[in-house]
Amino acid sequence: MEHKRPVAALYGVMAEFDDTTALVDAARRTYAEGYRKFEAYSPFPIHDLFEAMHIRDKRVSLLVLLGGLTGMLTGLGLQIWVSAVAYPLNIAGRPYISWPMFIPVTFELTILVAAFAAVFGMFALNGLPMPYHPVFNVERFAMHASQDRFYLAIEANDPKFDRAATRSFLQSLGAKDVSDVEE
Amino acid sequence: MSQIFHRTTNIYSRLSILAAIVLAATLGGVVGLLHLSGYNTNQNMPVEQPVQFSHAHHVGGEGIDCRYCHTSVEESAFANIPPTKTCMNCHSQLWTTAPILEPVRASFRDNKPLHWTRVHDLPDFVYFNHSIHVRKGVGCATCHGRVDKMPLMYQQANLQMNWCVNCHRNPAPNLRPRDQVYNMAWEPPANEPDLGERLMKEYKIAGPEQLTSCSTCHR
Amino acid sequence: MKAEPVYAPPPVIEPGHTFQTVTEQIAGIVLTRRHPYSWFFGLFVGFMGSMMLLMAITWLLIKGTGIWGVNIPIGWGFAIINFVWWIGIGHAGTLISAILLLLKQDWRTSINRFAEAMTLFAVVCAGIFPLIHTGRPWLAAYWLLPYPNTMGIWPQFRSPLIWDVFAVSTYLTVSLLFWYVGLVPDLATLRDRAKSLPIRRLFGALSLGWRGAARHWERYEEAYLLLAGLSTPLVLSVHTVVSFDFTIGIIPGWHSTIFPPYFVAGAIYAGFAMVLTLAIPLRVLYHLEDFLTMRHLENMGKVMLVTGLIVGYGYVFEAFFAWYSSNTYEQYMVYNRMFGPYWAFYWSLILCNIVMPQFLWKKSIRTSPAMLFFISMFVNVGMWLERFEIVVTSLHRDFLPSSWGWYWPTRWDIMTFFGTIGLFIMLFFLFIRVLPMISIFEMRTIVPAAKVKGAKAH
Amino acid sequence: MSSSIKSRLAGSHGRVYWRSLGELADTPEFREYLHREFPEQASEWNDPKGRRQFLKLMSASLALAGVGACTKQPTEEIVPYVRQPEDLVPGRPLFFASAIPFSGVAHPVLVESHMGHPTKIEGNPEHQASLGATDTFTQAAILGLYDPDRARAITNRGEIKPWGLFFSAMLSAGSQQKGRQGAGLRFLSGPITSPSMAEVMASVLATFPQAKWHQYDPISSDGARAAALAEGAGGDAIYHFDKADVVVTLDADFLTCGPGSVRYQKDFATHRRITEERKEMSRLYAIESTPTLTGAKADHRLAMKASEVEGFGRQLAGAVGAPAPAGPASGATDPASVIGKWLAAIAKDLQAHRGRSLVIAGQYQPASVHTLARSINQALGNVGSTVTYGPSIEAAPTDHTASLTDLVRAMDAGQVDVLVMLGGLNPVYSAPVDLKFAEKLKKVNLSVYHGLYVDETASLCQWNVPDAHPLESWGDSRSFDGTVTITQPLIAPLYDGHSAVEVLATLTSQPDRRGHVILKDYWTRAFAVGPWTIRSGDGQPFKNFDAFWRRTLHDGFINGTAVADGGPATPFGVMAVPAAVPITTAVAGMRADQAAAGAAPAPQPPPAAPATPPPATTTAPPQAATGAQGGLELIFRPDPTVWDGRFSNNGWLQELPKPLTKVTWDATAWVSPQLARERGLEDGDVIELRYRGNAARMPIFRVPGHPQQSVTVFFGYGRQKAGNVGNATTSAQAFNAFLLRTSDAPWFGSGLEIAKTGERHPLAVTQEHHVMEGRAPVRVATIEEYKKEPKIIAEQGETPPRTLTMYPEYKYEGYKWGMAIDIGSCTGCSACTIACVAENNIPIVGKEEVASGREMHWIRVDHYFAGNEDDNAVEAYHQPVPCMQCENAPCELVCPVAATTHSSEGLNDMVYNRCVGTRYCSNNCPYKVRRFNFLLYQDWDTQSLYPMRNPDVSVRSRGVMEKCTYCVQRINQARIDAKREDRDIRDGEVLTACQQVCPSDAIVFGNLNDPNSQVSKLKLQERNYGVLESLNTRPRTTYLAVLRNPNPELEPQASRSTTEH
């Protein structure tokens, strides 16, 4: 029989696995079970896991596309405005808009803004920075999640979440150790 | 305790990022505005002079023509600062004992020139020519402001390159009939909106290509 | 039935490694207190070099460009030579991390981290030169950037130097982002391994609270791939733009369409040489033979051989074009390179860049760290000489014989050059002390245990 | 020098000889060696100020650099006049007509003055001797005025004294001498053409009958003078090249040496210029020893030893049937020999052009050669047409060497109590070495030195009186054609200077008269009763003196005083005017004779003077000089830029590349390539020259076309007390040709031994490579070829069609400035370079910087040799290269900050204040005409140079690029003036500085959109071409090809071009 600690609020229940196969397998079954608000944690990316959890987020790519376009237009616009509108000057007998010579800068700006979009977009979508997170309350998670252990946490606000049932379900997945995650 | 940060850190971390961005923006803005302002070029700053000469009194009050003192304005790049003699033409009769004029009398007596401080001081690599501007119908007041209302002379325009070039690109709005050049109070006539264009043609004023060529002002 | 024996490439990681061992060995280097004395020595050398650089630059600012050997007609000397050389070196890093990633070359995993660091530091060193080589750096520092100003004057976007400004700064920024993104999971690892709270907090802050959630990994991977996709054309464009500095000019020896490709090839060539120069001592120093295996060294050797041949092709065709063009100036330029006052430079360049790498055809040499190190050194020198040839010998005799001249560096040129090398060394030694020099989380992916059994291979 | 370099030098053969030291520069030893010579920046390290500054900035260098950009302007003052001069319009220059005397002869000028500072000197276009042009020395005089090293105070034994004290000293000296009839009184000056000065001198000699006046100028043609004196009155030759179709020089450099050279260049060029109308050109044969610019222009040049010229002349005389005084004939006489062929051809050509030919004797050849030339000209009937002989413009022409020898003998004998040396001739430095002037000077009781500098002589004299610069003083002097030209001051003496006439006047009966008084007094009386024929411009006499004087000061010269207009010889005597001066007519007459006697041995023809054997007889007979006894011939020449050292402290002239060698800042000994090969010598090797018991050292320079058995040394270097600019380093003090000069052979002599010292002296050369490498920057054809096929010029290069571009053409409405340079006329005199320096505030960078390839000249004069190294008749071409103002300017394209852009009139503008100094533009300039301020070249410390700078041109600071602007300041001023008058700029209203000064009118500038402008017409000529047009740069500056007019008999018409090398 287990003894319950009094907890303020519960973030969810977390199970630890010690290899990738177990985690992926667990993830797949959790999804099959109907859980949606759950998250798997691993020290490195596992592609099978994404499939198992049906994760598909295209927004980063979209952001990059938009960023690229912005950069391109800014670059081209700036150059044309500067050399033809702001202060038109006869440079070496070239026309004011000698577009072939504007390509390099346009290109570089495209890349630059796109790269910003990729990185900051990714962090933003991931909700980072987030130095504090409930999962770190789990001692072993904090020790191993970034190194050599694999975790799966079902969140309390999942409609299907039931503390006891979920715990037992996780144990049934062959988790080494299941623990509550405090808010 | 396995948490190394308090839960509030999340807010702070995001706020701090936001703050950094805002701070950078404001700093940049402030520096930028200062840079664009006339501060660097002493715009609107009255200048200490050896003699408290008042244009307001001489031009506004007495109605003396600019060219009485600035003799070379029509033939030379330099409009000329009058020799002490010019002052003494009148002030050997008027205010002959006024203490304020002592430096002038002293200069005339011991043949020592007065040392005025430049008010409109362009960088040495800029070659401005008064004679041609006057000839083409640019009024004194256009650049120097209502000198007849200035007890102490100050620089009204910011004299930044942009300011010069704006007019060189499109002189029309700043042109007036030649006979009005020295008229401080002249206002563009309401009944003739396209006066500028007319004068452009009449005075054969060159197009922007020539007026904005670098060597027009820099050599 | 028994399977046919198929060719299996030598492993990119020695057998017997687990997540734990990988993590411990790499993270250990950062988190341990003790450090080999050689590290302190290296740092000291680097520091001294940086001081020399500071001194040289200060004197330059006091006296003016005249303290260098530049003159008319040779308006560009060491400064631009070094700039191109450093930029070139930088390229390998991005190439390894981006292009090899896209090509799914898993052997890149154990070298990309410090190759990227090398890129950053090389670009920093390179970036110094375009600024200080100007007559009035205090103005060049911001007049080359488009910002609203009181003069109503803007940069002149037809000038390759402006392209440089944008290319190099973009390159630096993107490389930095790429590097940092790669670091985040490792910083998390360090956070969790570090003992003292301040250190943990420090790494915690830098890792932004990374927790390895699958959804994060998914976006992370996508972003990382996209970055790679962006960096690849970027890295090619950067050296293309650098080569434009010359090809846009009309000077014989500069005005040549072959420059962009062979500059890029040369850059990769030089870059890999520098990676080898750094990797070979490192793996011994920090006992990383397991991660930097023979396979890595050999592959880099192969890349050098290929790019070296491309560069050689460039040289041959420069000469061929000159002959084929039947243009007096072009022909004299080539003749002058080979037999003019600077003939010695040309032939030693050929020796370093064309002759030496041919040894790499031989597997025994490709697999001997000592030999690789030796050859990579030659290539480093050779690529510098190449830039010397392009800049100096093209300029010193151009069109009118009356204005021909000659160039020789002064002590200040040389101090500045070696100063940047010192700066590079200093930065690099600091890096290997405070950050994992090999990407830990990516190493984990190539540990056998990382394989998901029963999963369909992708 | 390390052995490896020696071996490489030894290894260099054939063409290599005129390649450069630069090619050796790739050996570290050489650099090491150079660094020892110029410890680059070591000075700053050791100089405490520099070091402190360094430590100050060491901490935060980069940060500090940023601050420089954003500082506010300092407040400026305006200081108006108290009483403003009438005719002065502030901000606009005034021009005054004046004269800069050179060796006593006037060079007429117009001086530009800004707010009371003279800033630029132009030639006086009204004056026949100038027609608007000047030579380099006159251009550089402006720097001489502001030279901070000028003598600044009257001193007695080094102590500063007021003029009054000197004055009384002279009076007392005078009164002492009175008793002895002035027996112990001696004057030494250069030749005097100034009528007023001559009169003062005469009156002084009248007061002191026993006193003697000696004349000495180290560079004066005693030969010509002796020959002239032998003819009696009217023996001085004036040439008229505008009439001469065939010119033969006997070692004469009439284009660049001598007072007439400016006018001679004009006439010569005009008479040779091919235009659409005129298709004939004159032919020039140069028989010369040392290569000269005249020889470079010759259609045929024959090099021979200076001592053989006389023989050649004698044979030529024989060939044209002119009576020739007996004397040595040159070795070769048989018609098969080279000399024989030449003689035949030249004689034939001369005969064919009787009355239209001209033979000129070299100013450095003995009297006998001048006599020969005269008799040949007479025989050919040239006298009166191409050459006229008139009275001397010198008062009391004298054999200078004899005169100085006479003085020194007197000094040695202790007969000289008072020696007054006038006009800054520096005998201690420049007197023939055998006279030992310095040591004899010690025997003089009271020595007074009057000059611009405290030089070698001044420092050995008791009294030093600073001379007044011509721009500071009143005076008159005569130009080569005899026109009396007035010198008037533009600025009060900067350093308490007094003109020579004022110093001399202290010994007259009115001792304290200033120059102006003396001058005006003389001309008042001369106007009344002078020997002068004074007429106004329209040939009518003036109605009164004031009209005359106003006119004269306005014009700068006195009409009708030219020899051609019957101007008399400069009177040497006291004018007889009652009551003007307290001496009666009778006395005056008598005095004049006495004076003449006083100026002994002036009147007697030198050959008769026993004391001094005339130079003519000292000429070594050729066979003696053929090197049989191993001796070489030594030839002396004045330095082309610092002359005899009188311009040593003039940085502009020091930095002006010397014609033919392009060496700056140093004297070199010229040898032929063959001799150099024999002796294993390379450019810059220091040799020791031993000659008649004297020795000197000099770095050598190999000059093709130099006579093989001769060595030419140049005066003017090795100065010890010239000033900060001109002082020689201890190692270079031996590079002094005066150490070798003896009084018996002032210009050449045999018996020279040279020895390689093994030392090297690094030379700062602005052009190291003098062959065209088949690139034809200079295009050449003979007049025959050109007449036959004008395309021959265009065919020497390729010009892409204007349609060959992906961009639309830029239209230039309004003005479209362009320039055409006729290299057929250019003589390479380099006056354009100096004029440009003066007009555009171009800094002096110094020898080290020039040696590192950093000279700043906006217009350079390129020089190319063509022909075989061993061929004496090697051709030389000169090509002035300013900015080409390309329409598709490669420089503009690559500037990152738009600091160089195109103006609407097609000028390639350079905006200094925008430039950040990437030097990319210079790299990309195919003509390499851009110049960069690598260091802070402008002299900000020397206050005295401030007023010299042209206020209309920005003074460039460190780190910015600069280049020729077509004198945009002049264009802008003209445009503004034209606009104010609602008209267009007239053709010829804008003259660029180089164009204005050019004595041969080789440079023409104007509006290409005006079909009638002179430049448009020139560009229509078939011989007009652009350099490197194949690059499609579309240069606005184009060139008119060189046309040569060789004699078919001497040059078979093989199709020749300079490009096959």
Side-chain angles (χ1 to χ4, degrees), chain D residues 81-122:
Chain D
Y81 285 90
V82 174
R83 295 171 181 77
Q84 185 167 320
E86 276 312 316
D87 50 359
L88 180 131
V89 177
R92 291 198 75 116
L94 296 170
F95 289 83
F96 297 93
S98 183
I100 308 288
F102 183 90
S103 286
V105 182
H107 286 238
V109 296
L110 285 184
V111 186
E112 179 177 6
S113 163
H114 284 271
M115 308 289 282
H117 311 144
T119 57
K120 179 78 170 69
I121 293 177
E122 309 290 0

Side-chain angles (χ1 to χ4, degrees), chain A:
Chain A
M1 94 140 236
E2 74 193 26
H3 135 267
K4 289 209 208 91
R5 332 182 202 58
V7 290
L10 190 69
Y11 168 78
V13 193
M14 176 184 278
E16 173 177 333
F17 304 87
D18 49 14
D19 68 7
T20 48
T21 325
L23 179 67
V24 173
D25 185 47
R28 188 173 293 109
R29 288 176 48 194
T30 315
Y31 190 88
E33 191 74 9
Y35 288 102
R36 291 294 174 269
K37 288 199 173 323
F38 71 98
E39 183 60 274
Y41 299 89
S42 59
F44 55 87
I46 305 168
H47 295 104
D48 306 287
L49 189 57
F50 306 154
E51 292 167 17
M53 298 171 65
H54 300 83
I55 305 172
R56 207 81 193 84
D57 188 347
K58 283 255 139 284
R59 286 176 293 174
V60 176
S61 325
L62 186 67
L63 284 173
V64 171
L65 178 67
L66 294 178
L69 287 174
T70 326
M72 189 173 82
L73 295 179
T74 326
L76 203 56
L78 173 75
Q79 295 181 83
I80 291 176
W81 179 75
V82 160
S83 359
V85 183
Y87 203 138
L89 284 164
N90 172 6
I91 304 286
R94 305 294 196 279
Y96 295 140
I97 303 179
S98 30
W99 62 267
M101 315 203 93
F102 295 164
I103 292 172
V105 169
T106 312
F107 175 81
E108 302 298 340
L109 281 177
T110 313
I111 300 285
L112 184 64
V113 183
F116 277 130
V119 174
F120 297 122
M122 181 266 286
F123 282 130
L125 292 171
N126 286 351
L128 298 177
M130 189 185 288
Y132 172 91
H133 193 278
V135 292
F136 292 120
N137 290 327
V138 179
E139 202 65 37
R140 279 187 61 78
F141 181 93
M143 287 302 300
H144 295 286
S146 65
Q147 299 181 48
D148 51 0
R149 287 280 181 279
F150 306 83
Y151 296 86
L152 187 130
I154 302 180
E155 293 168 26
N157 55 2
D158 183 287
K160 213 170 165 310
F161 182 82
D162 168 86
R163 189 162 177 186
T166 312
R167 271 187 88 89
S168 52
F169 167 71
L170 284 177
Q171 260 137 358
S172 71
L173 297 179
K176 270 183 79 251
D177 158 35
V178 180
S179 48
D180 294 350
V181 185
E182 294 166 7
E183 191 59 75

Side-chain angles (χ1 to χ4, degrees), chain C residues 54-55 57-76 133-136 138-140 142-144 151 153-156 158-162 244-246 248-251 254 329 332 341 343 395 397-406 408 410-412, chain D residues 22-23 25-26 31 34 40-41 44-45 50 53-54 57-58 61-62 65-66 69 767-769 771-773 775 777 852-854 860 862 864 890 892-898 912-920 922-928 930-932 934-935 958-960 1027-1028 1031:
Chain C
L54 183 61
M55 184 163 98
I57 291 179
T58 311
W59 193 238
L60 176 77
L61 291 173
I62 297 173
K63 294 306 294 179
T65 329
I67 68 172
W68 290 347
V70 285
N71 57 34
I72 312 287
I74 302 99
W76 286 350
H133 100 285
T134 61
R136 304 200 287 175
W138 50 93
L139 295 177
Y142 59 98
W143 276 2
L144 269 70
M151 302 167 287
I153 288 275
W154 297 80
Q156 203 274 95
R158 299 170 187 81
S159 166
L161 288 184
I162 287 293
F244 283 162
D245 287 349
F246 304 108
I248 295 293
I250 60 175
I251 301 299
W254 281 16
Y329 309 110
Y332 184 85
W343 60 273
L395 282 173
R397 290 184 172 177
D398 57 352
F399 293 99
L400 295 182
S402 61
S403 47
W404 288 0
W406 48 276
W408 200 264
T410 66
R411 66 182 79 145
W412 300 104
Chain D
E23 303 197 350
D26 53 343
R31 293 297 310 176
L34 267 189
E40 123 252 341
Q41 272 74 46
E44 284 83 350
W45 275 115
Q53 203 182 4
F54 177 82
L57 299 192
M58 181 67 196
S61 50
L62 289 160
Q767 181 182 352
E768 290 164 336
H769 196 96
V771 273
M772 293 193 235
E773 294 291 345
R775 301 176 177 194
S852 349
R854 298 169 178 179
R860 63 175 196 261
D862 284 351
Y864 298 102
E892 292 173 3
L893 189 63
V894 296
C895 175
V897 291
Y912 314 118
N913 39 302
R914 176 67 177 173
C915 177
V916 297
T918 66
R919 303 184 296 290
Y920 199 173
S922 164
N923 289 346
N924 210 30
C925 172
Y927 311 93
K928 289 287 172 286
R930 290 178 155 263
R931 298 287 178 247
F932 187 67
F934 287 93
L935 299 167
R958 181 188 120 196
V960 304
V1027 175
L1028 298 179
L1031 301 172

Side-chain angles (χ1 to χ4, degrees), chain A residues 85-89 96 127-139 142 183, chain B residues 1-10 13-14 17 161 165 169 209 211-214:
Chain A
V85 183
Y87 203 138
L89 284 164
Y96 295 140
L128 298 177
M130 189 185 288
Y132 172 91
H133 193 278
V135 292
F136 292 120
N137 290 327
V138 179
E139 202 65 37
E183 191 59 75
Chain B
M1 177 58 186
S2 54
Q3 284 285 4
I4 52 174
F5 293 103
H6 188 267
R7 52 161 53 93
T8 51
T9 332
N10 290 352
S13 59
R14 287 163 204 192
I17 292 176
M161 176 170 166
V165 173
R169 287 212 186 88
E209 294 80 11
L211 290 183
T212 60
S213 289
C214 305

